[in-house]
Each structure stands twice: as structure tokens, then as C-alpha cells.
Amino acid sequence: RCPVCVFQPWQSEEEGSWLREYPVTLMQFFRYLYHNVPDLAPMWHSPEFLCALAAAVFPFNIRPYSEMVTDLDDEAGSPTEEFKAFAGDSGMNRSQSEYCNVGSKTSLTNHPAKKYVFDFMRVLIMDNMCVTPATKQTPIIDLLLEASPERSTRTQQKEFQSSILDSVMEHLLAADVLLGEDASLPLSTGGSYQILVNNVFYFSQRVVDKLWQGMFNKDSKLVVDFIVQLIGQSKRRSQGLSLDTIYHCLNRTVLYQLCRPHKTVAQQVALLDALRVLTVNRNLVLGPGNHDQDFVACLAHCFICLHSGR
């Protein structure tokens, strides 16, 4: 089991204490091993390690969240009293008992090592994109997205998945990843440009999947901008590259924006902004490069519904 996943109570510790500094040092050591010990390569890609790595950024719960929810619905017992009894019997101090009683926690840990964990996950995902086709084995991005521990809440899972996706999206755009030799992101040893392109397009599909599933908590226009920039990079790099997959991602994102509820003022403002972005990119969305005829029919349906006030 990966030791980094055992983040003990640390909030009451002073700056520079072992509980604050050791997890950071451990993550830096992992990065060193990753880049300098090739024999460990299979471990970094194993589901067991990735699940343990993901668990490191979730707050520690005594029991799975599903059990706590069951107890909350059970009039015969009191989870609060149960946790009090647990803390009292075990001799835990105040900060420890508060740390364990996280049924009400809705966010990930704010330990200083969290940034290093997410950075390492991004490195693993990016390196995997260059080498392993998504069709040959389960990509690391999928293993990590579904690696939330059983004790986690849906809100925590959403924050976790959004953080991973947003980090990789920013990195891909900053590196102009699809420009080939002109990109600022060098291919990993043994990697190929075609594998990278296919995996970036696959990653885009997963972003849109999570958007539709309600697990991506960022603004949907960030996804549109991400996909539009990828299409632009692809066209600059090669005229012979098939863009059907990435256009399909764009189409799904546009339809997602147009079919959202628009009852409140905030929702209506978001809809107007989506229509503005669609207008700005109309030559791309409705241009000859977009061959999806079903999209045109769905788009027309959305416009009819909006016009009729539905």
C-alpha cells in the first residue's frame, strides 16, 4: 500500500512539523524514483498504486460514506454520539477526533502535499498519452478518474475529477501539444505523434463525458475553448488528420450548453454567453470540417425549444 495515502491529522501541527513536511518530501522522492529508476515503471501504472495516490487527497473518514448516510437516515442511532464515543475510548485529542468526524466534509484535503500529488498525477497522465494507445489498455486518465475511495462523497469526487481534468487541459494548451515538432512538450521516449493525437482526442471525450455526468464543476465554456484550440492546433499541424472525434466533442459540448435549464437569471446569462460563443465560432461549428449531420438536427431542435420557451 502506498504510504502517502495515510495522511494523519496535521492541522494543529506547527509549520515545519513532520506531519506537514514528510508527505511533501515523500511525493518529491516519488518523482525522483519515477524519472530515475526505470525498473519501477510498472508500479506507477498499476491500479493499486493509482488508487492509493488518489486516496491521498481525500480527507480520512472512519467508515465509507455510504454507511454514514445509512446511519443518518436511521432514527435508532446517532452518528454524532457514535463518533464521540469512538474519540473518547481511543484517547484521541480534539484535533484528531474532529479530523476523523468528516461526515460533513465536502472538499478534499488542504494539506500542502495535495499540489504535489496532483502534479504527479498530471505527469503520469501526460507521459502515458505519448506512449500507450487508449485502445490497447485502460488509460491512466480513466484509472485515476474512477479511483475515488469508497469513503468519499460525490462532492469530493467531483472536485477531484475536475481538478485532474482542468490541470491536464491547461497543460495541453500551454504546451501547444498538437503542433508536433513546434510544441513545447517533447514526446516521451518511445512515444509517437499519432498516439499522442489519438489520446488527446480521447481525453477530450472524457472531459465532455464528465461534463454531461455532472462531475466537471468548471464552466462549460472552458471546455469549448479547449476543444476549439485543439482543432486550431490540429489544422495548423496537418491537413490530413481526421478531426471527426474532436468535432464530435465540440458538438456534444455545444448541445450540453443549449439544453441546460434556463429558468433563473444566472442560467439565462449562461445561455446568452453560450450563444455568443457559438456565434463567434460559427464558421468552425457549422463549417465544412464538421461532418456530423445528426448534430445539425439536434442543434435545430435546441433552437426550436429555446424559441418556444421550453
Side-chain angles (χ1 to χ4, degrees), residues 25-39:
T25 303
L26 185 59
M27 289 309 306
Q28 292 172 334
F29 182 58
F30 277 178
R31 289 286 292 270
Y32 170 81
L33 293 177
Y34 176 74
H35 290 293
N36 293 280
V37 185
D39 291 344

Side-chain angles (χ1 to χ4, degrees), residues 169-185:
M169 288 166 62
E170 288 185 0
H171 195 72
L172 289 173
L173 292 183
D176 293 325
V177 67
L178 296 185
L179 292 184
E181 295 82 2
D182 297 328
S184 58
L185 178 70

